[in-house]
Structure formats: structure tokens, C-alpha cells
Amino acid sequence: MKFIYKLSFLLFFIISLSSCNFQTESRFILGEVDVFPTLEENQEFVRDMLYFPHGEVLREKLKLFAADSMVIKGINFNAEARGQKVKVEFIFSGAAISHSKELTDYFTVFFKEQEELYKSNAYFLEIAERDAETFIKWIINSDYDAIWERASPSLKVLATKEQLIEMLEGSTQAYDLTQNRVLSKRMMQKSLIEQGKVSVGFYYDYEDGTQIDITLEDAIDSTNLLGFRARNFKR
């Protein structure tokens, strides 16, 4: 069974085919992802890697290809199940071919760092996914006292309880968050503020085009709310 993941517009990635007669693509096999004990969990991890904003990183942090968006568009990503593992392959085409070395180095380091991050924070990820559903229920039910009690200290520095309530009320009034939703991706990152802390964002999609993302921060045997956003791409 083969799973092909096409990079979405969130990554600014599309298949770019060359009409020239010289080399049209370059393939790079990253290896087999085996972060978790089951195939489903490893596929979810690969999905998270797929939706990571690589385009932003390559443009802003690495200062690569800032003036050449065709490099970003020339990257494709395939994943194939191998038992409980997932074989990961990159296909560079068009303008990306001449930058294969830089791209290969970037993705090699990125996957290695993310694998270590997910492995070392597996317990937090499990708790956070459960707590994300709890926070969403609190938001729908307007249980703002419970939300504020579990708000991250970083969030409380940026907003008062009244400001947070106003933002959450605006989201529940503008969008129907009671519909069925599907978890589409997760994004785990190290904290830029507190050393040793990590946060994870959960992105949920609704059939009407609404998407919500909720970010939780690691706490002792628990999680704190770090951010929430609701929007609709079809409006």
C-alpha cells in the first residue's frame, strides 16, 4: 500500500515539471521514519512534517532562495509504508535541482531534529492532544474561568482575561465550532521564551471550510493554553 502526500499551498510546494531536455528531476531518499511503534503514528508524524511551513524557513531563517520562489515550487514529497515504518523521498525538479545539496542538507537535519523532539516529548504530545479537545469544549461552552485558569503565563502577559474572552467570543459567534471536525496536522516546536519548554499546535478542519488551531504549552503533568485562532478559507 502506497501513500502519496502532495504538499499543500501552506508549504508553497507544487509539482514543477521542466520542459527542457536536460535533467528534469533529482531524487533524494531520506530514509525510513520509525519514530513511533505503529504505522499509523509514523504516518501522522510524516503528515506533520508535510504541513510544516518549510517555505518560510527556507526564505527567512536560512536566507536561501529569497528571490527565487521557483525553487520552493520545485519540491515534491512522497511517503510509502514499509511495515510499521514510512519511507520518505524528496523529488527536486525545475529550479530546485541546482540547489539539491542545500535542500538535502536542510531536510536531513530537519527530520532528525523533529524525530528527537517528538520522541522526547511523546508523553506531552499524548496529553496535549487530549487537552486540546477539552479546551475546545470549554470555548464552545463559554467556560472562560476554566480557560483562564489554564492559560499560559506567556499568554497572560499579552492579554487580560477580558481581552481573551472577547477574542474567544468573537470566534464562537463567527463560526460554528460544534460541527464535526478532523485533526489535520500538528506542529511541535521548542519554546523561544522559556528554555526546556515545548509547545504543540493542533489544526482542525471543518466541512464548511472553517479551520481552528489551538496551541498548548508544556506544564507539569498538564498543558496550558498558549494560543487559539479560527478562520474560514472559503469565505
Side-chain angles (χ1 to χ4, degrees):
M1 187 175 184
K2 187 173 182 179
F3 298 85
I4 305 296
Y5 295 86
K6 298 298 183 183
L7 295 187
S8 71
F9 68 93
L10 292 174
L11 303 180
F12 306 96
F13 290 176
I14 62 173
I15 299 177
S16 176
L17 298 178
S18 172
S19 59
C20 302
N21 293 324
F22 50 83
Q23 183 182 10
T24 58
E25 66 178 35
S26 173
R27 293 177 177 265
F28 161 57
I29 298 177
L30 179 71
E32 294 184 337
V33 173
D34 188 22
V35 183
F36 297 101
T38 68
L39 173 62
E40 181 180 3
E41 290 175 302
N42 284 319
Q43 287 175 329
E44 289 174 350
F45 171 78
V46 170
R47 175 204 63 194
D48 296 344
M49 301 304 97
L50 168 69
Y51 279 101
F52 193 89
H54 297 289
E56 296 178 13
V57 176
L58 290 170
R59 284 193 180 94
E60 298 175 14
K61 291 187 178 180
L62 300 184
K63 305 301 181 184
L64 293 174
F65 330 123
D68 192 357
S69 62
M70 293 307 294
V71 172
I72 306 300
K73 293 178 180 179
I75 303 172
N76 194 34
F77 180 111
N78 291 338
E80 179 182 351
R82 295 286 183 90
Q84 73 177 34
K85 304 177 182 180
V86 181
K87 176 185 174 182
V88 178
E89 178 183 40
F90 290 94
I91 304 173
F92 306 134
S93 61
I97 293 178
S98 61
H99 296 283
S100 296
K101 177 62 168 61
E102 299 102 307
L103 293 170
T104 296
D105 291 345
Y106 164 72
F107 284 114
T108 299
V109 173
F110 172 78
F111 265 76
K112 181 178 180 180
E113 291 178 346
Q114 288 295 306
E115 286 183 3
E116 293 175 353
L117 187 62
Y118 272 66
K119 282 181 179 179
S120 60
N121 293 282
Y123 179 64
F124 161 64
L125 183 62
E126 180 182 347
I127 294 177
E129 189 162 344
R130 179 200 66 199
D131 286 358
E133 290 290 341
T134 299
F135 275 107
I136 293 172
K137 290 178 182 178
W138 286 347
I139 292 170
I140 293 173
N141 296 328
S142 303
D143 194 348
Y144 300 126
D145 288 337
I147 295 172
W148 183 251
E149 184 178 346
R150 294 275 300 279
S152 165
S154 300
L155 178 58
K156 290 181 177 180
V157 170
L158 298 174
T160 64
K161 181 178 181 179
E162 291 70 25
Q163 290 173 326
L164 178 61
I165 292 174
E166 182 179 358
M167 183 273 289
L168 296 176
E169 285 181 337
S171 297
T172 55
Q173 291 171 5
Y175 308 103
D176 181 7
L177 304 185
T178 63
Q179 305 174 73
N180 291 331
R181 58 184 174 272
V182 176
L183 177 62
S184 60
K185 61 179 177 178
R186 305 164 300 183
M187 189 180 298
M188 186 181 294
Q189 300 183 72
K190 294 181 180 179
S191 174
L192 299 177
I193 302 174
E194 295 187 54
Q195 187 175 3
K197 277 188 173 293
V198 294
S199 65
V200 58
F202 296 93
Y203 294 74
Y204 298 86
D205 293 333
Y206 292 80
E207 290 184 359
D208 68 351
T210 297
Q211 183 188 80
I212 62 173
D213 57 86
I214 181 168
T215 303
L216 303 181
E217 183 180 67
D218 188 17
I220 300 177
D221 294 325
S222 183
T223 63
N224 290 329
L225 178 67
L226 188 59
F228 178 83
R229 178 174 60 175
R231 51 187 172 173
N232 191 303
F233 293 104
K234 294 183 179 180
R235 294 183 181 180

